[in-house]
């Protein structure tokens, strides 16, 4: 089978590093170039030091003219850039239409393309849009909190059982990206937690859009009146997300568990556990594990993922 030729824009950050590790070890992928505006000509392993001995790639120079007519023979381009930067990149560079594109920022998740960008992106959560993803050349990768929230709620949406939802979630420091800030320093994070963006996290737009896709009565997100009330937390660890969502549900627990297992039967990376659930079970994996608990009519859904891989 012919190898897929891949390129990365924004290879120096956390998501870029994860993408490099996945692609250089994939037997059917040839990684053609890794671009970084701030690290041109530097060895990739000088930035991602755990790749020492695994790759001799250098970060490419700023000249990206080969993407205009695809003279470099690229099959897929990954945009591992910050939020708002993917739109700017496509406005500044003409990318040949033969090149598939996967954007890891939030820029194209809710179909808000500027008029000067002709590409249409499919929301890339495979447990929701597997058929559309397979048929599309442009994928908007879901957010990390959004992925954990949705996977915990999609089966209920399909069954039309969603009402008011109250969720809390905690994420590691890598969720904030590689650029240093006051709340990403080790001395601030260690032995510390903090709530932030209470009820207003940007991922709520895409989560509610997905839930609405399966349950039309579930409203799209509005800050002033939302059915999904989410309080995110910064945790004192590096990787992983743990979500707990609570809602009223009169369906028996065993029936709910069966519903979830049927929904995810064809999705090998998402599964329901009836044992205890902890974050370490998913860190450094592509898995989402879900645990369901019930007291009276109150259903609690716990979902855990690695925020960088899943």
């Amino acid at each position: 089978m012919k190898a897929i030729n891949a390129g990365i824009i924004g290879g120096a950050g956390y998501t870029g590093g994860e993408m490099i590790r996945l692609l250089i070890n994939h037997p059917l992928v040839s990684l053609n170039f890794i671009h970084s505006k701030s690290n041109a000509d530097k060895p990739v392993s000088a930035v991602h030091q755990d790749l020492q001995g695994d790759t001799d790639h250098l970060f490419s120079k700023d000249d990206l003219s080969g993407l205009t007519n695809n003279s470099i023979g690229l099959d897929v381009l990954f945009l591992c850039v910050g939020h708002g930067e993917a739109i700017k990149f496509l406005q500044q560079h003409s990318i040949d239409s033969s090149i598939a594109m996967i954007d890891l920022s939030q820029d194209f998740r809710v179909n808000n393309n500027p008029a000067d960008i002709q590409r249409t992106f499919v929301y890339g959560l495979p447990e929701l849009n597997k058929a559309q993803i397979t048929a599309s050349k442009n994928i908007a990768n879901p957010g990390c909190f959004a992925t954990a929230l949705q996977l915990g709620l999609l089966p209920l949406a399909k069954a039309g059982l969603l009402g008011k939802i109250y969720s809390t979630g905690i994420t590691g420091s890598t969720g904030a990206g590689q650029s240093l800030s006051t709340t990403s320093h080790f001395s601030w994070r260690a032995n510390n937690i903090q709530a932030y963006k209470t009820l207003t996290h940007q991922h709520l737009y895409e989560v509610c859009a997905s839930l609405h896709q399966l349950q039309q009565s579930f409203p799209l997100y509005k800050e002033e009146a939302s059915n999904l009330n989410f309080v995110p937390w910064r945790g004192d660890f590096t990787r992983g997300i743990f979500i707990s969502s609570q809602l009223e549900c009169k369906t028996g627990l065993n029936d709910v568990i069966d519903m979830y297992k049927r929904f995810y039967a064809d999705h090998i990376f998402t599964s329901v556990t009836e044992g205890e659930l902890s974050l370490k079970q998913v860190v450094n994996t592509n898995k989402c594990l879900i645990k369901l608990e019930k007291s009276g009519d109150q259903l609690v859904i716990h979902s855990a993922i690695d925020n960088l891989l899943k």
Side-chain angles (χ1 to χ4, degrees):
M1 184 179 292
K2 176 182 176 291
I4 295 171
N5 293 316
I8 296 174
I9 302 296
Y14 286 137
T15 55
E18 290 298 311
M19 189 57 61
I20 295 167
R21 294 177 193 97
L22 290 171
L23 296 181
I24 64 173
N25 291 299
H26 198 296
L28 296 179
V29 173
S30 176
L31 186 54
N32 284 26
F33 74 91
I34 307 167
H35 181 265
S36 169
K37 290 190 294 185
S38 57
N39 293 280
D41 289 332
K42 287 184 181 179
V44 168
S45 58
V47 175
H48 302 294
Q49 296 182 13
D50 61 311
L51 292 177
Q52 185 71 44
D54 293 336
T55 178
D56 57 2
H57 273 93
L58 302 179
F59 287 111
S60 67
K61 298 179 180 178
D62 285 340
D63 182 14
L64 297 173
S65 58
L67 296 176
T68 301
N69 57 8
N70 201 12
S71 60
I72 56 178
L74 208 63
D75 295 308
V76 60
L77 182 66
F78 293 89
L79 300 183
C80 301
V81 294
H83 303 318
E85 295 301 314
I87 286 178
K88 291 180 183 178
F89 178 82
L90 292 185
Q91 289 172 330
Q92 295 167 359
H93 299 88
S94 177
I95 310 299
D96 191 276
S97 60
S98 67
I99 301 174
M101 192 170 296
I102 300 177
D103 176 35
L104 277 74
S105 79
Q106 67 180 20
D107 291 9
F108 302 106
R109 293 172 187 167
V110 288
N111 298 318
N112 57 346
N113 287 28
D116 56 347
I117 294 178
Q118 301 303 313
R119 291 178 178 250
T120 299
F121 286 77
V122 168
Y123 188 68
L125 187 70
E127 292 85 352
L128 176 68
N129 290 329
K130 187 175 182 179
Q132 297 95 311
I133 293 167
T134 302
S136 177
K137 294 196 71 172
N138 304 298
I139 308 299
N141 201 64
C144 49
F145 263 136
T147 296
L149 278 165
Q150 289 172 91
L151 294 179
L153 297 170
L154 288 176
L156 295 170
K158 185 177 180 181
L161 295 177
L162 292 181
K164 279 282 188 181
I165 305 163
Y166 299 90
S167 299
T168 58
I170 190 166
T171 185
S173 58
T174 53
Q178 199 167 34
S179 298
L180 287 177
S181 65
T182 302
T183 57
S184 64
H185 281 280
F186 172 79
S187 57
W188 188 93
R189 286 267 182 170
N191 303 310
N192 197 17
I193 59 172
Q194 181 191 47
Y196 73 108
K197 296 182 179 178
T198 296
L199 305 179
T200 62
H201 196 279
Q202 66 272 15
H203 288 183
L204 292 175
Y205 291 96
E206 60 188 279
V207 176
C208 290
S210 295
L211 299 179
H212 179 78
Q213 181 177 327
L214 294 185
Q215 182 180 324
Q216 293 294 303
S217 62
F218 193 85
L220 298 175
Y221 177 69
K222 295 181 180 179
E223 287 189 18
E224 64 273 13
S226 175
N227 271 27
L228 178 54
N229 303 281
F230 176 51
V231 180
W233 294 78
R234 296 183 173 106
D236 65 341
F237 51 93
T238 55
R239 299 175 72 118
I241 284 176
F242 195 106
I243 299 279
S244 295
S245 297
Q246 180 179 342
L247 69 157
E248 184 176 350
C249 178
K250 297 185 182 300
T251 306
L253 180 59
N254 289 335
D255 291 335
V256 175
I257 291 173
D258 289 342
M259 178 197 310
Y260 272 69
K261 289 183 176 180
R262 288 195 304 272
F263 187 94
Y264 291 119
D266 295 327
H267 301 283
I268 61 173
F269 293 115
T270 300
S271 57
V272 179
T273 177
E274 296 186 45
E276 295 302 317
L277 177 60
S278 66
L279 195 60
K280 284 188 175 182
Q281 292 172 265
V282 298
V283 170
N284 293 315
T285 80
N286 191 44
K287 296 188 295 185
C288 174
L289 292 183
I290 296 170
K291 180 176 175 59
L292 300 154
E293 298 184 288
K294 205 160 185 288
S295 178
D297 288 340
Q298 294 299 308
L299 174 67
V300 176
I301 310 103
H302 307 289
S303 52
I305 65 168
D306 183 304
N307 58 294
L308 291 177
L309 272 171
K310 181 58 176 170

